[in-house]
Amino acid sequence: MEYETIAAAVDAEQEISRSRFLVRLERVDDEAAARAVIARVRAEHPRARHHCSAFVLGPDGRVQRSNDDGEPSGTAGAPMLDALVSAGLSDVVAVVTRYFGGVLLGAGGLTRAYRSTVASATLLARRQRRGLRRSVALSCAYDVAPQIEAEARRRGYAVGAAEYTHRVVQRFALADDEVEAFASLAAELSAGAAAVEVGDAAYVDLATGAGRLAP
């Protein structure tokens, strides 16, 4: 129910036998966004001979695409994709721009170059954990809201934003196995006066510290 992506874009470069390999890793939500990144990198380097790419999408990494962009078949996109999968990343696109240096690398050399370029970038990337969490809205009186929030944080529940009107509406993002315990906690601390509304589940960024969502 959880997986890892990257928290921010990564740029790295390798020079191998006088060819320059420039890699860009970016986090993306869908295939259209991945292809937009590929197009943008291509526009940034109009004089480069190749802009090879690979991307992995989804919590299970089920969507996988790669493109050799003129390199011999199987020598660029596939090893790039393998580097992403081996790093355990999803929702990420890799684009490697190659400036040819005049020395032929051969199929094996190209395969190693493209894979190692992406692999080196994955090592530089700051990772972001994502998990399936259900949206839960708590409506309660002002005097008990801080107690419920404090106890929720102590238990490691992810706390979201709050709205303040005639009552406090505090939002939480909970794993399915946390919802019942949270509802019992709210009922106990409010003497049954708090209302808990359970919403839909979606993947969200998880913070490394307990009891909060990533900003």
Side-chain angles (χ1 to χ4, degrees):
M1 303 296 282
E2 295 184 2
Y3 69 101
E4 284 189 323
T5 184
I6 61 175
V10 176
D11 288 292
E13 179 178 347
Q14 286 195 125
E15 183 173 330
I16 302 173
S17 298
R18 301 199 323 213
S19 283
R20 292 175 63 210
F21 294 83
L22 287 69
V23 61
R24 168 79 53 80
L25 293 186
E26 285 198 28
R27 177 176 170 175
V28 289
D29 294 327
D30 53 34
E31 192 161 343
R35 298 198 182 281
V37 172
I38 297 167
R40 175 158 37 85
V41 172
R42 185 183 297 275
E44 291 174 3
H45 300 276
R47 298 178 61 185
R49 181 172 293 189
H50 304 286
H51 304 278
C52 305
S53 60
F55 56 85
V56 183
L57 301 172
D60 54 2
R62 183 173 300 179
V63 178
Q64 300 182 4
R65 303 282 188 271
S66 64
N67 190 297
D68 294 314
D69 194 40
E71 295 283 26
S73 179
T75 64
M80 291 170 61
L81 182 61
D82 181 62
L84 293 178
V85 172
S86 296
L89 295 172
S90 191
D91 290 352
V92 63
V93 58
V95 187
V96 174
T97 298
R98 181 190 180 197
Y99 285 93
F100 182 56
V103 178
L104 297 176
L105 299 180
L110 286 172
T111 298
R112 289 188 295 272
Y114 278 102
R115 191 189 190 287
S116 67
T117 300
V118 174
S120 66
T122 66
L123 294 176
L124 296 173
R126 184 165 58 89
R127 297 190 172 224
Q128 174 64 61
R129 193 95 184 148
R130 287 174 62 76
L132 189 63
R133 297 293 184 267
R134 193 165 295 279
S135 174
V136 174
L138 167 76
S139 176
C140 63
Y142 274 73
D143 58 339
V144 298
Q147 301 173 50
I148 297 175
E149 179 181 346
E151 181 60 23
R153 290 184 184 278
R154 191 188 69 79
R155 297 188 183 191
Y157 300 154
V159 179
E163 300 172 13
Y164 300 92
T165 56
H166 64 290
R167 286 166 68 85
V168 178
V169 178
Q170 179 81 58
R171 301 196 177 276
F172 299 82
L174 306 177
D176 280 341
D177 60 2
E178 296 173 337
V179 173
E180 185 176 348
F182 175 78
S184 297
L185 168 68
E188 177 185 350
L189 293 181
S190 69
V196 174
E197 182 180 347
V198 180
D200 296 331
Y203 279 91
V204 299
D205 288 357
L206 304 177
T208 53
R212 55 195 176 92
L213 293 176

